[in-house]
């Protein structure tokens, strides 16, 4: 019988509930399993040695959360997973996942594809941070948000998600003050505007040009 990632919930698991603000796991915790989200939203991030919070991605319903190195020795999480809403998930132990991957080749292929894409997303995000500095961090984050939560309107793309400037700064690894100034400049240039606390991007090509966008596939250029 063929199995894909959509069939993960048929593997032996435990159902977990996490209140908003609680953690599924913290950096340094031993890795014991993987999580399949059934409701809610989870933020994957890291706190730098200087105490600055860096948000790498957001995960929602039917997405997997976890850093899994299967068929290897004990390991620890390198990131935090924080519930942004009341969250329900299925936790699958590593041992049960490994058994299923050996039994169902299609599941193993789907799992390898997911881990590969997840790694590429992280690499492209760090590429933007390292190669293009503050502009690369903010502009690529806006582009990724538009690909994940964008709604096309006559005057541009509305990011259908309310984000504070601090939350946006966490995606970029910058301070809120720097993001404030950069957003103000983008507004003055008519590249973005605000509507009911949500960002509208009027000129996405301008943002792409500024960071020499490589036009990665949409599935890589997302925030989730």
């Amino acid at each position: 019988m063929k199995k894909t990632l959509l069939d993960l919930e048929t593997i032996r698991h435990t159902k977990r509930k996490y209140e908003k603000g609680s953690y599924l796991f913290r950096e340094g915790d031993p890795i014991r399993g993987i999580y399949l989200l059934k409701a809610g939203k989870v933020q994957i991030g890291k706190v730098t040695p200087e105490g600055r919070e860096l948000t790498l991605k957001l995960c929602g319903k039917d997405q997997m959360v976890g850093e899994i190195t299967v068929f290897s020795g004990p390991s620890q999480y390198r990131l935090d997973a924080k519930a942004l809403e009341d969250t329900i998930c299925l936790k699958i132990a590593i041992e049960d996942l490994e058994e299923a991957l050996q039994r169902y080749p299609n599941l193993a292929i789907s799992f390898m594809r997911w881990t590969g894409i997840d790694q590429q997303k992280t690499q492209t995000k760090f590429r933007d941070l390292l190669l293009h500095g503050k502009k690369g961090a903010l502009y690529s984050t806006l582009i990724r948000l538009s690909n994940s939560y964008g709604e096309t309107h006559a005057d541009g793309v509305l990011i259908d998600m309310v984000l504070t400037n601090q939350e946006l700064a966490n995606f970029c690894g910058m301070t809120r003050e720097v993001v404030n100034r950069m957003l103000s400049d983008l507004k003055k240039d008519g590249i973005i505007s605000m509507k009911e606390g949500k960002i509208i991007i009027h000129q996405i090509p301008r943002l792409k040009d500024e960071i020499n966008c490589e036009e990665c596939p949409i599935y890589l250029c997302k925030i989730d």
Side-chain angles (χ1 to χ4, degrees):
M1 181 174 61
K2 292 184 177 180
K3 281 184 178 287
T4 67
L5 290 184
L6 295 178
D7 298 304
L8 278 175
E9 58 187 278
T10 65
I11 302 173
R12 184 167 54 190
H13 61 265
T14 56
K15 190 173 184 179
R16 301 286 183 88
K17 295 182 179 180
Y18 295 87
E19 294 183 354
K20 177 180 178 180
S22 61
Y23 288 85
L24 281 67
F25 53 80
R26 302 296 303 267
E27 181 179 0
D29 289 347
I31 297 178
R32 294 199 172 95
I34 197 165
Y35 301 80
L36 179 64
L37 301 186
K38 302 311 296 179
K41 194 178 295 292
V42 172
Q43 170 186 291
I44 306 300
K46 185 180 185 69
V47 178
T48 69
E50 297 79 23
R52 185 175 299 167
E53 186 174 354
L54 175 63
T55 301
L56 294 177
K57 63 179 178 179
L58 302 178
C59 299
K61 188 177 185 295
D62 291 330
Q63 287 186 287
M64 285 196 297
V65 173
E67 306 167 53
I68 292 295
T69 304
V70 292
F71 307 111
S72 63
S75 187
Q76 296 178 331
Y77 288 108
R78 294 166 293 175
L79 302 169
D80 297 330
K82 181 180 180 180
L84 298 181
E85 306 170 353
D86 288 346
T87 296
I88 299 174
C89 62
L90 309 181
K91 183 177 181 180
I92 302 171
I94 291 180
E95 296 79 9
D96 294 324
L97 176 62
E98 290 176 343
E99 180 185 351
L101 293 177
Q102 292 181 84
R103 291 181 62 190
Y104 304 108
N106 288 82
L107 178 62
I109 292 171
S110 295
F111 185 80
M112 287 188 290
R113 184 181 295 118
W114 171 78
T115 55
I117 290 174
D118 193 59
Q119 186 177 50
Q120 288 181 74
K121 285 181 179 179
T122 301
Q123 289 174 341
T124 57
K125 183 175 179 65
F126 281 121
R127 177 200 63 198
D128 294 336
L129 290 171
L130 294 173
L131 295 184
H132 304 293
K134 294 176 181 177
K135 276 190 177 181
L138 178 59
Y139 293 5
S140 67
T141 294
L142 292 174
I143 294 168
R144 291 171 192 275
L145 285 167
S146 72
N147 288 335
S148 292
Y149 301 100
E151 293 184 354
T152 302
H153 290 251
D155 56 347
V157 177
L158 170 72
I159 297 174
D160 191 23
M161 182 181 189
V162 176
L163 287 169
T164 66
N165 285 2
Q166 182 60 63
E167 289 171 331
L168 193 55
N170 291 346
F171 278 112
C172 305
M174 297 190 294
T175 64
R176 179 175 55 82
E177 291 75 17
V178 171
V179 168
N180 288 348
R181 290 196 297 270
M182 295 180 70
L183 290 176
S184 179
D185 290 339
L186 290 174
K187 291 174 187 175
K188 290 177 183 177
D189 293 338
I191 296 175
I192 69 168
S193 64
M194 302 296 296
K195 181 179 180 181
E196 298 177 353
K198 300 178 181 179
I199 297 174
I200 300 177
I201 305 177
H202 303 291
Q203 301 181 46
I204 286 183
R206 284 279 299 276
L207 297 179
K208 290 184 175 182
D209 288 343
E210 287 286 344
I211 61 173
N212 299 316
C213 177
E214 298 179 7
E215 297 293 345
C216 297
I218 294 296
Y219 69 83
L220 291 181
C221 189
K222 300 182 77 174
I223 211 73
D224 52 11

